[in-house]
C-alpha cells in the first residue's frame, strides 16, 4: 500500500528531529518521536495539558516534565511554533506544528461579555501581509525572518 501524504510528512519530520538531536548530541529517545507524531496528527492548537492527556490516553508513560522538555526541543528545532493567545490573562502557551505550514495569522474571538475567555481561534492568511513585509524590508534594509499578528474581538450580534 502506498504511503499517504500524512505518513510521508511524518517520516520527513522524524528525519528532521533525528538530525537535530544528532547535531545537538541530545538523547535519541523513542518518546520524542511518539510525541512529535501525535503533534503532527493534530489539526489544531494545543497546550501542554492537551498533549499530556493525549499521550496518557494512548498509554504512553511520559511525565509532564518530559512534555515540557520535548516542546522546548521541538521549538528550537523549528518543528512547532508557540502562541500566547490570551491577551489579558496569564493563559498557558499554545503550540502548533509548523514545519509544512503556510504562513498564517490568528483571530482570537472572546466569549460574549468577556475579554479573557476565548471562544474560538480562527486562522487566516491574507496576502497583503506579505506585501507589507516586503515594503518594510525595503524601507529599513532588513530581512524579516518571522512575524506575529493577532486580532482580538467578539462575534457581532
Ligand atoms: Zn495557527
Amino acid at each position: 500500500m502506498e504511503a499517504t501524504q500524512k505518513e510521508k510528512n511524518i517520516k520527513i519530520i522524524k528525519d528532521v528531529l533525528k538530525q537535530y538531536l544528532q547535531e545537538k548530541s541530545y538523547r535519541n529517545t523513542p518518546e520524542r518521536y511518539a510525541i512529535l507524531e501525535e503533534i503532527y496528527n493534530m489539526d489544531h492548537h494545543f497546550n501542554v495539558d492537551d498533549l499530556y492527556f493525549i499521550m496518557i490516553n494512548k498509554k504512553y508513560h511520559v511525565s509532564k516534565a518530559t512534555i515540557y522538555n520535548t516542546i522546548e526541543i521541538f521549538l528550537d528545532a523549528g518543528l512547532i511554533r508557540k502562541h500566547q493567545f490570551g491577551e489579558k490573562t496569564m493563559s498557558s502557551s499554545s503550540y502548533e506544528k509548523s514545519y509544512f505550514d503556510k504562513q498564517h495569522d490568528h483571530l482570537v474571538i472572546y466569549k460574549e461579555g468577556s475579554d479573557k475567555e476565548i471562544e474560538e481561534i480562527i486562522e487566516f492568511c491574507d496576502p497583503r501581509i506579505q506585501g507589507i513585509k516586503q515594503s518594510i524590508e525595503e524601507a529599513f534594509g532588513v530581512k524579516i525572518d518571522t512575524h506575529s499578528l493577532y486580532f482580538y474581538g467578539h462575534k457581532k450580534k
Side-chain angles (χ1 to χ4, degrees):
M1 210 173 77
E2 222 178 291
T4 64
Q5 193 57 48
K6 205 164 203 171
E7 287 164 346
K8 284 179 195 163
N9 285 353
I10 284 175
K11 192 186 175 311
I12 293 168
I13 47 141
K14 282 182 174 176
D15 286 344
V16 170
L17 178 61
K18 192 175 169 189
Q19 200 162 352
Y20 173 88
L21 294 174
Q22 270 170 5
E23 275 168 22
K24 298 270 175 177
S25 310
Y26 291 151
R27 284 190 311 137
N28 202 34
T29 61
E31 298 90 70
R32 285 174 176 161
Y33 294 92
I35 294 170
L36 188 65
E37 185 161 351
E38 289 307 325
I39 290 174
Y40 272 78
N41 279 326
M42 274 192 262
D43 288 314
H44 45 77
H45 307 97
F46 62 91
N47 61 29
V48 168
D49 286 340
D50 299 332
L51 192 54
Y52 179 68
F53 287 118
I54 286 170
M55 298 309 287
I56 295 299
N57 280 334
K58 297 225 168 169
K59 313 275 181 248
Y60 287 109
H61 296 280
V62 291
S63 67
K64 241 181 208 183
T66 302
I67 302 270
Y68 274 107
N69 174 275
T70 303
I71 277 184
E72 287 304 318
I73 287 172
F74 293 172
L75 278 172
D76 193 51
L79 289 163
I80 58 173
R81 80 168 72 85
K82 186 177 187 172
H83 295 292
Q84 199 75 51
F85 288 126
E87 184 191 20
K88 295 188 180 173
T89 47
M90 295 292 290
S91 64
S92 65
S93 299
S94 297
Y95 303 90
E96 66 183 336
K97 60 188 173 191
S98 62
Y99 194 76
F100 301 106
D101 255 23
K102 279 199 220 117
Q103 180 64 56
H104 66 265
D105 297 291
H106 299 87
L107 172 58
V108 178
I109 301 170
Y110 292 117
K111 283 185 182 150
E112 198 184 327
S114 172
D115 60 1
K116 293 186 177 72
E117 259 189 290
I118 295 168
E119 179 177 308
E120 194 184 350
I121 295 166
I122 297 174
E123 296 184 332
F124 67 93
C125 188
D126 188 323
R128 285 174 295 181
I129 292 164
Q130 187 62 25
I132 295 169
K133 209 176 94 184
Q134 277 168 8
S135 49
I136 297 288
E137 284 182 329
E138 281 162 32
F140 295 98
V142 294
K143 162 88 181 72
I144 294 171
D145 302 317
T146 58
H147 81 263
S148 68
L149 171 67
Y150 303 96
F151 290 121
Y152 299 94
H154 292 86
K155 284 241 169 81
K156 281 184 185 171
K157 285 188 196 120

